[in-house]
Amino acid sequence: ATPAEEKDLVIIGGGVAGYVAAIKAGQEGLKVACIEKRGSLGGTCLNVGCIPSKSLLNNSHLYHTILHDSKSRGIDVGDVKLNLAGMMKAKETSVSGLTKGIEFLFKKNNVEYIKGTGSFADEHTVAVNLVDGGETSVRGKNIIIATGSEATPFPGLTIDEKKVITSTGAIALTEVPKKMVVIGGGIIGLEMGSVWSRLGAEVTVVEFLGQIGGPGMDAEISKATQKILTKQGMKFKLNTKVLSGDTSSAEVALQVEAAKGGKAETLNADVVLVAIGRRPYTAGLGFENIGLEVDNRGRLVIDQEYRTKIPHIRVIGDCTFGPMLAHKAEEEAVAVIEYITKSHGHVNYNAIPSVMYTHPEVAWVGQNEAELKEAGVKYKSGSFPFSANSRAKTNQDSDGLVKFLADAETDRILGVHIVGPNAGEMIAEGTLALEYGASTEDVGRTSHAHPTLAEAFKEAAMATYGKAIHY
Ligand code: FAD
Ligand code: NAD
């Protein structure tokens, strides 16, 4: 065999973590190769995650608004019909445009793209099973593992992506189910549940905990969100666990009972969406050849500079610690290249925003009330409802609120929590404020254009150190 080509850096996985690291490495002048097995770049996020789900969220929201909300806006529409195949096509167009865009960026930044499955032959060599057949191998002075994550299965329920689905099936259904049960009221459950609810399915979300939204969502915001989604037609069963499922008939029959024990009941559904979290994906990487191990939750263990115990092998993104978010992966990708080339990098894990793209959106950054209480931090809070914001009212889109949490003594912002129209864009301002150590008074004394939704952000800040004007 010919000796493997030597690169400065080899990256296994072309998801957000891997492709951003590859581009950054190319920009820094490193000789870099990125190995991706799915046949297209962008990973979970671009192919079956962030992007396709947002396409469906946006277009199902438009459909729902036109169908139910036109009259009050003075728009008479004719026969409004769903063209599901067309909606899926729009989704596919956005996905393919963006994934091809990354291939272009690879070329522009001199990144070699190897289409195949990588696995460690030794500490510096990655063997690749090529997608188009055949094998190759590539050597790296440095190697980054960025193999991402996969849906956590529900024990006893076999995923067929038709009747029992993960998010991957939920972005590709060919007809609207009559009844859908979602196991897990986290971000995926609520985003995909609301897509199918808007398109006409009767959606019931079964959540083990006493609140929806998954880890990190503030309890008050979670409650407000649940109320809004209930008004939109979604049903919730909190504090409820799924015991088992029977898929032998046309409908899936789920046995559920109160989490703390109680009477069992059966929920029937055409489609069951399993959305109980994701777990790191590191299968088939040949760790036995190099002596790497994962922790009890499947995560690769790393130090502050993303190094495994084999220092030239580093790990970023969903397959290691931290929130499983694309923008977190992206920050790490830039930082890890800076560690490799300059020995210093920076990610502020306290200022990574979370956004749930339901309508209205839910967004937060920093700590929530429960976390501050547990840490014994003395804090104050202030909030402002969108029902008192002129733009939200004018847009007939005024459900929700903005809430600040700030240090009781210094007024420094500790957390910002929003449910409301455009919360996902608005949280960027909260993130910047947190990153720069702003106080709520800094925000409240900053001019915000009128009439904008962002004025609700300013007034919530004013309500934290003093008083809002319009509420
Ligand atoms: P991945 O994107 O999973 O990429 C890893 C890649 O590595 C994959 O393409 C895989 O094929 C490849 N790979 C694995 N093993 C090998 C191997 N041995 N050889 C070669 N290639 C390999 N996050 C957000 O921030 N915002 C959102 O709106 C959002 N929406 C989401 C919606 C859904 C339905 C899902 C499932 C996730 C969503 N996420 C969102 C999470 C986001 O997708 C992930 O956090 C992000 O993709 C992580 O990037 P990554 O590069 O670490 O992993
Ligand atoms: P999640 O952790 O957000 O939510 C899972 C939910 O399921 C939790 O509320 C949990 O209490 C519940 N649960 C767990 N086991 C259960 C059981 N047996 N029965 C009933 N409920 C159960 O996970 P997810 O929604 O699957 O999302 C996975 C990952 O993907 C998350 O890390 C998320 O950040 C990421 N993601 C992000 C976005 C976004 O940023 N907009 C969108 C989709 C996915």
Side-chain angles (χ1 to χ4, degrees), residues 409-421:
E409 227 170 86
T410 65
D411 190 33
R412 187 186 171 124
I413 295 167
L414 301 171
V416 183
H417 303 269
I418 310 171
V419 50

Side-chain angles (χ1 to χ4, degrees), residues 374-415:
E374 199 182 312
V377 177
K378 287 208 171 68
Y379 66 92
K380 55 186 176 178
S381 85
S383 61
F384 189 84
F386 282 99
S387 59
N389 171 270
S390 60
R391 187 63 182 279
K393 275 185 93 71
T394 309
N395 287 353
Q396 300 177 27
D397 194 5
S398 58
D399 281 337
L401 69 144
V402 181
K403 167 175 166 179
F404 275 84
L405 300 170
D407 187 282
E409 227 170 86
T410 65
D411 190 33
R412 187 186 171 124
I413 295 167
L414 301 171

Side-chain angles (χ1 to χ4, degrees), residues 49-50 53-54 57 149-152 154-155 167 182-192 206-215 237 240-242 274-279 318 322-327 353-358 362:
C50 327
S53 64
K54 264 83 262 180
L57 277 155
S149 61
E150 62 179 354
T152 306
F154 189 89
S167 54
V182 178
I183 309 180
I187 305 272
I188 291 185
L190 299 179
E191 286 189 353
M192 295 321 301
V206 181
E207 167 58 52
F208 186 77
L209 299 177
Q211 73 169 62
I212 58 166
K237 281 188 169 294
T240 304
K241 67 177 174 209
V242 175
V274 177
I276 57 170
R278 292 178 63 82
R279 61 183 188 190
D318 278 11
M324 290 187 176
L325 295 172
H327 44 282
S354 293
V355 180
M356 179 168 91
Y357 298 84
T358 46
V362 182

Side-chain angles (χ1 to χ4, degrees), residues 27 169 265 326 346 358 398 408 460:
Q27 289 172 348
E265 64 171 311
H346 167 82
T358 46
S398 58

